[in-house]
Amino acid sequence: MTARTLITVPMKPLGLSKTRLSGALHPAARTRLAHLLFTRTLAFLRPIAEAESCDLSVVTSSDAIRATARGAGFAVISEGHEASLNGAAACAAQAASEAGYGRLCLIPADLAAPDAKDVRAFLKSDAPVTICPSLDRGTNALLLDLPSAFAFRFGPRSALRHFEEASARGLTPRLMPLESLSFDIDTTAHLARAARIDPAFEVFA
């Protein structure tokens, strides 16, 4: 029997998102950008999940994000407090394991121009841990078998740290670079590039 996969989007409260852009955008603009990215991500993932027979969820501590996620047909995993991305990922992994899922796929809510073919290819990986690195060697998608004692290592150069974590646990990880998933929006340079790709971001650049 094929393992059930839960695709999960970790999402901070909108007011705490995109803080690395605080030098370029005032708080209201950062909130609008975070909301745009989040809602676009939800809409983008729904047909992919249907095509790949996956379920969808959002992990968050925010009441507003919970309401938006439920309105889009996503299940909600509540953190119960404002945690780190690593804490949110661990919370999602525990909830998915307890619900009987065999795999968890973490997709961030700030990818500038993801391509459905790339996400579907990523979901088809049969490695116990699959890592899609970002341009700056962070982790822009992570797929792992459940249950697992894997410790999440999101942060600077996390693709390498996730690879090392999986290797240390004997999990034989796979690095899977995918161009459309390599580009998120965390800096002004990222934002300027996003505006060149998609007019929806021009107002923020």
Side-chain angles (χ1 to χ4, degrees), residues 88-135:
C91 182
Q94 180 179 347
S97 293
E98 291 174 352
Y101 289 96
R103 301 196 311 165
L104 174 69
C105 180
L106 293 165
I107 299 284
D110 62 353
L111 297 177
D115 186 285
K117 294 190 297 296
D118 282 349
V119 176
R120 293 183 69 176
F122 188 74
L123 288 166
K124 287 177 168 58
S125 173
D126 60 1
V129 177
T130 306
I131 304 150
C132 178
S134 64
L135 291 175

Side-chain angles (χ1 to χ4, degrees), residues 3-203:
R4 294 169 62 209
T5 300
L6 180 66
I7 302 173
T8 299
V9 180
M11 188 63 193
K12 296 178 182 178
L14 292 174
L16 299 179
S17 300
K18 302 292 114 197
T19 55
R20 290 174 63 184
L21 290 168
S22 58
L25 298 177
H26 55 75
R30 295 200 310 272
T31 295
R32 290 197 303 273
L33 174 61
H35 184 264
L36 173 65
L37 288 165
F38 178 58
T39 55
R40 282 164 58 108
T41 298
L42 300 188
F44 167 75
L45 289 175
R46 287 188 66 180
I48 294 172
E50 182 176 352
E52 298 298 328
S53 300
C54 299
D55 292 333
L56 292 164
S57 71
V58 169
V59 57
T60 188
S61 64
S62 164
D63 289 340
I65 295 299
R66 290 186 190 103
T68 300
R70 290 187 178 116
F74 281 58
V76 173
I77 300 170
S78 294
E79 295 179 69
H81 56 85
E82 294 174 7
S84 66
L85 178 53
N86 290 318
C91 182
Q94 180 179 347
S97 293
E98 291 174 352
Y101 289 96
R103 301 196 311 165
L104 174 69
C105 180
L106 293 165
I107 299 284
D110 62 353
L111 297 177
D115 186 285
K117 294 190 297 296
D118 282 349
V119 176
R120 293 183 69 176
F122 188 74
L123 288 166
K124 287 177 168 58
S125 173
D126 60 1
V129 177
T130 306
I131 304 150
C132 178
S134 64
L135 291 175
D136 60 2
R137 301 183 184 179
T139 302
N140 270 2
L142 183 64
L143 177 67
L144 71 153
D145 290 348
L146 298 173
S148 176
F150 185 87
F152 297 97
R153 308 290 185 186
F154 287 102
R157 299 176 62 86
S158 63
L160 176 59
R161 300 196 319 159
H162 281 139
F163 191 93
E164 291 172 342
E165 166 68 17
S167 298
R169 295 184 183 276
L171 295 176
T172 314
R174 177 185 180 187
L175 279 175
M176 191 173 179
L178 293 162
E179 184 176 0
S180 78
L181 304 187
S182 68
F183 175 36
D184 52 12
I185 300 180
D186 277 327
T187 68
T188 53
H190 295 163
L191 190 54
R193 178 178 173 181
R196 292 194 296 269
I197 295 171
D198 189 331
F201 297 110
E202 289 180 355
V203 66

